Each structure stands twice: as structure tokens, then as C-alpha cells.
Amino acid sequence: MAENILIVDDEKSIADLVEVYLTNEGYHVYKFYTAAEALSCIETQALSLVILDVMLPDMDGFALCQKIRKTHLFPIIMLTAKVEDMDKITGLTLGADDYITKPFNPLELIARVKTQLRRYTRYNNAPADQDKIPGEIDIRGLHISKSSHKCSLNGKELSLTPLEFSILWYLCERKGNVVSSEELFESVWGERYLDNNNTVMAHIARLREKMHEPARKPKYVKTVWGVGYTIE
């Protein structure tokens, strides 16, 4: 059964191009040019991933991303014509999983779509044979289970995206050790890390927000300046 992907971009030429590439890969595509149409589709169709442009005629793409994240966990890839790091960080902290800057190579976008879908599929289809998977970790009220892909803090379940879950699991698994941004990115994202990459920082900020962690003195995910992140 083909996976459903939603494209939201008011530049019809770009939306049409992305649609062609996705359709050729066997995906079922929904394509809209406004946020209102996209929201209607999201509420009526079972989607696996959204490709979302930042600049839309009726709603800021960042606001739409935030609205989607209130009720849905499927991956969101942001398309942006802006190259400033702050624009990328904004999208990631509001719940996007990845971003790609226009103009882009359609084949690179397809590769990123496949990466996000693989992660999302693993998240939603945990193997029944739990003996082969590391079990569960409990750190001072933070409980995370790789077999069920669920996480709770002081008894309250956290609504984490597959990417956020992977980040937290990786850090919990290495409790007491400092994990560099490079190691975390290359292990979780599966891509080569670049020195100016702020993706990890943005996702850590989003994770702390969901855990209601104060940025200056977090109880769980701590920053070791100049080195990386750790859970003690």
C-alpha cells in the first residue's frame, strides 16, 4: 500500500515537480497551495509525511507546522527560500523534522523523504520480539521504552516525534557520558555532520520544551559547553 505524502507549496511549478518525483517513487501524493486546504486534507486523510513550504499565502508555514504538531507526529520537511540559520532553527524548534533550502535537487529531497519515512515506520511498527531489543530505561522519573516507543516523565506520557524519541533514547542509553553534536547527528540522522549545523541544538531545545525543562538549568538533558550533551 502506497504511503500518503502531502505537499503544501504555493509555487505550483515546485509543487508539480516534487509531485512527479514522489509519484515516480510509488508514493500517493496530495498537493495543495494553501494552508487551509492542507489542514482539511490532514484531518481527513491518513498521512505518512508532509512537505511544507515556509511562505504560504494564507498562513505562515511555521504557524502551520506548529498547528500540525498539536495532534500529529508524522514527519514534516520544511521548504524554505531563506538561508539564514535562524529561519531553519525556528522550523525545527516548532516541530519540523528536517528542512531543505530552495533551490534544491529533487533527488536530495526524495532521499530525505525516504530517511524520515524509514524512521517513522520503525517508530510505529516496533517488532513483537522484544528480547532482541534493549528493554527500558528509567532515570529519576524519566521512563523510556524502545520496545513500545513510548516515553513518560513522572507518570505523564510525552508526545515525542520519532526523531525526538531517537535523540532521547540515544542519550539515555549513554547515561553519564557526554555525546557530541557530531556523534548525535550522524548516529540519529545518519548523515555527515557539518560544523555550522544547528539541527541538533534546535531539536534539543524542542525536546527540553516538551519535558518542561528550564533552558538554563535543565534537570535531564544537560549541555556540556564546547563538547555536547549528556543525561546524568
Side-chain angles (χ1 to χ4, degrees):
M1 183 175 175
E3 291 167 300
N4 297 327
I5 296 180
L6 170 63
I7 304 169
V8 193
D9 196 322
D10 65 334
E11 293 186 66
K12 295 185 178 182
S13 59
I14 292 179
D16 291 346
L17 178 65
V18 174
E19 180 185 24
V20 169
Y21 274 83
L22 288 172
T23 302
N24 287 341
E25 291 292 328
Y27 299 114
H28 183 266
V29 175
Y30 295 94
K31 180 181 62 178
F32 297 102
Y33 309 118
T34 67
E37 293 172 312
L39 285 171
S40 177
C41 177
I42 289 166
E43 295 309 315
T44 57
Q45 303 298 330
L47 300 176
S48 300
L49 182 142
V50 172
I51 298 172
L52 171 61
D53 187 30
V54 169
M55 303 299 291
L56 295 172
D58 55 339
M59 181 184 291
D60 184 280
F62 294 138
L64 179 56
C65 175
Q66 193 172 28
K67 194 175 184 68
I68 293 171
R69 272 290 170 256
K70 290 180 179 179
T71 52
H72 299 282
L73 294 176
F74 48 66
I76 298 173
I77 298 177
M78 302 287 289
L79 300 180
T80 174
K82 301 178 180 180
V83 297
E84 292 85 356
D85 281 344
M86 190 51 63
D87 292 307
K88 299 171 184 176
I89 292 171
T90 298
L92 294 172
T93 54
L94 292 176
D97 297 277
D98 200 359
Y99 61 84
I100 190 165
T101 304
K102 297 178 181 180
F104 56 84
N105 184 333
L107 293 177
E108 180 185 355
L109 176 60
I110 295 300
R112 296 196 182 198
V113 165
K114 290 181 177 179
T115 296
Q116 293 298 332
L117 286 175
R118 279 196 301 270
R119 181 178 291 115
Y120 186 58
T121 300
R122 287 198 304 268
Y123 182 88
N124 286 292
N125 296 282
D129 185 1
Q130 298 180 6
D131 293 336
K132 296 181 180 179
I133 304 175
E136 302 180 351
I137 299 174
D138 198 300
I139 303 174
R140 303 188 313 280
L142 174 64
H143 185 84
I144 185 167
S145 170
K146 192 170 187 180
S147 57
S148 65
H149 283 268
K150 291 185 178 180
C151 179
S152 63
L153 182 58
N154 298 322
K156 184 176 181 180
E157 187 169 345
L158 299 177
S159 179
L160 303 182
T161 66
L163 194 55
E164 290 162 352
F165 181 92
S166 297
I167 293 169
L168 188 58
W169 176 262
Y170 195 87
L171 292 172
C172 286
E173 219 178 13
R174 289 153 184 79
K175 177 178 176 289
N177 297 316
V178 179
V179 178
S180 69
S181 295
E182 179 179 0
E183 177 186 345
L184 190 57
F185 184 84
E186 293 186 352
S187 297
V188 173
W189 276 262
E191 300 176 16
R192 183 169 173 269
Y193 179 82
L194 301 175
D195 289 340
N196 62 349
N197 194 327
N198 290 307
T199 303
V200 172
M201 180 180 67
H203 278 86
I204 290 290
R206 175 70 175 171
L207 190 56
R208 284 174 175 160
E209 180 183 340
K210 288 190 174 183
M211 296 172 69
H212 303 290
E213 288 260 78
R216 293 184 178 274
K217 291 185 178 181
K219 180 180 177 182
Y220 294 97
V221 183
K222 299 183 178 181
T223 301
V224 180
W225 295 107
V227 183
Y229 303 94
T230 185
I231 289 183
E232 297 177 346

